């Protein structure tokens, strides 16, 4: 059993896609063990995406991620990290496989509907960024 952090990004929340995305998550045998709505502050978005701060799209990404509410979730299941990355599809929806969340719903390489942790180390850091131990029993 493994856990990963999922974020349903502002583009998808705005278009009422939380239910559609959760259905795909659950169909693929991942359990949503924690979930809440959050509006990221500029500081929080800059800190969460700190690894990208030298990239040309950093300011635009922070503006996008703070443009509306997000749904942050902890998913649990076998190989949850890799499994969710597969369900999400490639970063650029043009490259994403048929049936993936990003192929189905993403608007652009930036407004690509979902985030999922990319390693076990990052999953632990990202889950702790949003959820306290009490919320994860
Ligand atoms: P992910 O792990 O698939 O989410 O991709 P990355 O870690 O490489 O990038 C983080 C997020 O930055 C992506 O999910 C996009 O929202 C955004 N992003 C990545 N590449 C680009 C880009 O070339 N242009 C813009 N505007 N945003 C990007």
């Amino acid at each position: 059993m493994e856990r990963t952090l999922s974020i349903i990004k502002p583009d998808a929340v705005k278009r009422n896609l939380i239910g559609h995305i959760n259905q795909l998550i659950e169909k693929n045998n991942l359990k949503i063990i924690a979930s809440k709505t959050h509006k990221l502050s500029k500081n929080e978005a800059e800190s969460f995406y700190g690894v990208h701060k030298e990239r040309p799209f950093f300011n635009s990404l922070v503006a996008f991620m703070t443009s509306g509410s997000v749904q942050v979730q902890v998913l649990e299941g076998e190989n949850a990290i890799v499994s969710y990355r597969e369900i999400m599809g490639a970063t650029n929806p043009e490259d994403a496989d048929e049936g993936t969340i990003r192929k189905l719903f993403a608007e652009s390489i930036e407004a690509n509907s979902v985030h999922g942790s990319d390693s076990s180390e990052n999953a632990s850091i990202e889950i702790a960024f949003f959820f306290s131990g009490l919320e994860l029993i």
Side-chain angles (χ1 to χ4, degrees):
M1 278 298 161
E2 199 173 56
R3 288 177 176 180
T4 191
L5 184 87
S6 158
I7 304 178
I8 303 180
K9 296 184 179 182
D11 66 290
V13 172
K14 276 188 190 131
R15 287 176 289 145
N16 274 358
L17 293 172
I18 295 174
H20 286 83
I21 291 171
N22 284 348
Q23 214 172 15
L24 286 169
I25 289 170
E26 294 186 331
K27 255 197 209 154
N28 284 279
N29 295 321
L30 293 176
K31 260 196 184 337
I32 302 164
I33 63 157
S35 186
K36 62 186 175 190
T37 304
H38 185 72
K39 177 88 162 56
L40 283 164
S41 68
K42 187 165 180 275
N43 274 346
E44 287 168 343
E46 285 175 350
S47 164
F48 186 79
Y49 277 119
V51 66
H52 292 306
K53 67 173 178 292
E54 305 304 331
R55 310 282 286 273
F57 58 81
F58 182 69
N59 287 340
S60 174
L61 175 61
V62 168
F64 163 62
M65 288 300 291
T66 56
S67 67
S69 296
V70 297
Q71 189 76 12
V72 283
Q73 309 174 303
V74 178
L75 311 183
E76 186 177 82
E78 228 171 274
N79 299 316
I81 296 165
V82 167
S83 174
Y84 189 47
R85 299 280 305 181
E86 284 172 8
I87 299 162
M88 285 163 50
T91 307
N92 186 346
E94 287 176 15
D95 302 329
D97 289 338
E98 290 299 327
T100 61
I101 294 170
R102 284 167 166 172
K103 182 71 173 187
L104 286 165
F105 303 126
E107 295 181 315
S108 67
I109 190 169
E110 180 175 89
N112 59 3
S113 302
V114 278
H115 165 86
S117 310
D118 63 2
S119 69
S120 166
E121 196 195 353
N122 284 341
S124 301
I125 294 168
E126 292 177 0
I127 289 169
F129 188 90
F130 286 108
F131 291 94
S132 74
L134 271 178
E135 293 171 291
L136 294 169
I137 291 165

